[in-house]
Amino acid sequence: MDSNNSDQESKAISIDDVVEVLTHGTIEADHGLMRWSSNYAFLISVVHKNTSIMAVYKPQKGERPLWDFPDGMLCKREMASFLTSEMLDWTIVPPTVLRYGPHGLGSVQFYVDHDPDMNYFEFDRDKIPQVKRICIFDYLVNNADRKGGHCLVDSKGHVWGIDHGITFHSAPKLRTVIWDFAGEPIDDSTLVDVEKLCHTLNTPSSILRQNLSDLLTEHEINSFRKRTQFILHTKKYPEPGAGGPNFPWPPV
């Protein structure tokens, strides 16, 4: 992972190091609102111990009310998505923390430097293994908004997934553009990771369960656990639901 440092060339640092900067760093610059975001999202600089990182700050106060999600919870779902990505060890969600910024409590997520013209619909076949993981991840977290533009490719070819504010609903909400693998069998290594996640969710004393309890309702956590069990039972990629809608709008 690369961090952006105004005083030196970008250097590789670990996810743990990025989390430390985002958690304990000082927000030194606000580069303004990001365009095209449905909720308030600010591009900021966070500095800690001579390391400067660009990040996206989504304050709780700037969340647009939704009829089917409780108010003020989107930033917490961004955090829950990152914790799930880390538990699976799939490195899908950029490092994310929940902290106070200039506009109050919000999620602060590492900004992925990427080509804005490259999205899911432009991917080559070499991205398929990463996209398949995102497909499973979206089912597990019940992502209601996986647009093509929410899949970013960094300079090393790694695919990141962003914008996970409307996730973890207790009712089926999966809306995604990634249906290419529907009904196909899931490979064993992916199932092993999901099984580990399922075991962790079934353990109330686990760190993940304790952290999620501060971010989601118990009903939402139980529904999350059941989705992991369903994947382990079917061993297949999810298929579009009969009730729909199954695709986000706009698709990019």
Side-chain angles (χ1 to χ4, degrees):
M1 172 173 295
D2 291 332
S3 67
N4 296 315
N5 192 315
S6 58
D7 299 323
Q8 59 183 352
E9 296 183 358
S10 294
K11 61 180 181 179
I13 60 176
S14 70
I15 286 179
D16 288 343
D17 288 340
V18 173
V19 169
E20 181 181 357
V21 173
L22 296 180
T23 301
H24 302 292
T26 302
I27 297 176
E28 290 201 343
D30 183 342
H31 304 284
L33 279 169
M34 301 185 72
R35 295 184 300 166
W36 319 123
S37 179
S38 56
N39 299 291
Y40 280 89
F42 299 88
L43 186 62
I44 61 174
S45 295
V46 186
V47 181
H48 183 61
K49 296 181 179 179
N50 298 319
T51 298
S52 177
I53 288 178
M54 298 290 285
V56 178
Y57 166 49
K58 297 181 179 180
Q60 192 177 48
K61 293 178 181 178
E63 296 176 359
R64 177 171 56 90
L66 300 171
W67 69 269
D68 53 348
F69 281 82
D71 293 345
M73 293 289 288
L74 304 191
C75 60
K76 294 185 177 182
R77 295 168 196 273
E78 294 268 12
M79 184 65 195
S81 296
F82 170 64
L83 294 176
T84 301
S85 173
E86 287 299 283
M87 183 68 235
L88 288 163
D89 198 24
W90 288 357
T91 321
I92 291 173
V93 182
T96 306
V97 303
L98 195 66
R99 61 168 289 181
Y100 283 88
H103 305 285
L105 181 69
S107 62
V108 178
Q109 185 173 91
F110 177 81
Y111 174 77
V112 177
D113 194 11
H114 64 285
D115 180 353
D117 294 325
M118 177 64 70
N119 62 68
Y120 170 76
F121 298 105
E122 308 296 329
F123 288 174
D124 295 327
R125 292 188 60 83
D126 66 328
K127 299 292 189 297
I128 288 179
Q130 296 186 72
V131 170
K132 281 187 170 182
R133 279 187 167 180
I134 293 176
C135 177
I136 297 296
F137 177 81
D138 284 341
Y139 174 79
L140 293 174
V141 303
N142 202 13
N143 191 353
D145 195 32
R146 176 61 72 202
K147 294 181 174 68
H150 293 172
C151 297
L152 311 181
V153 181
D154 66 19
S155 60
K156 296 183 179 179
H158 183 78
V159 181
W160 298 91
I162 62 167
D163 284 353
H164 298 99
I166 48 177
T167 50
F168 293 104
H169 201 287
S170 56
K173 292 283 185 179
L174 181 61
R175 291 192 290 269
T176 176
V177 296
I178 310 175
W179 292 112
D180 308 63
F181 321 108
E184 294 182 8
I186 301 172
D187 65 275
D188 290 341
S189 63
T190 298
L191 290 173
V192 168
D193 293 338
V194 175
E195 186 172 19
K196 181 178 68 172
L197 172 63
C198 185
H199 175 73
T200 302
L201 292 174
N202 286 332
T203 307
S205 61
S206 69
I207 294 176
L208 179 63
R209 272 293 297 267
Q210 293 178 27
N211 288 335
L212 289 179
S213 67
D214 294 329
L215 305 169
L216 307 171
T217 68
E218 195 63 26
H219 186 37
E220 289 168 339
I221 294 173
N222 286 333
S223 296
F224 180 21
R225 180 174 53 83
K226 290 177 181 178
R227 290 193 296 272
T228 65
Q229 293 172 341
F230 182 79
I231 285 291
L232 294 173
H233 173 71
T234 64
K235 301 181 180 180
K236 293 182 179 180
Y237 286 90
E239 300 184 70
N246 298 303
F247 293 85
W249 187 260
V252 178

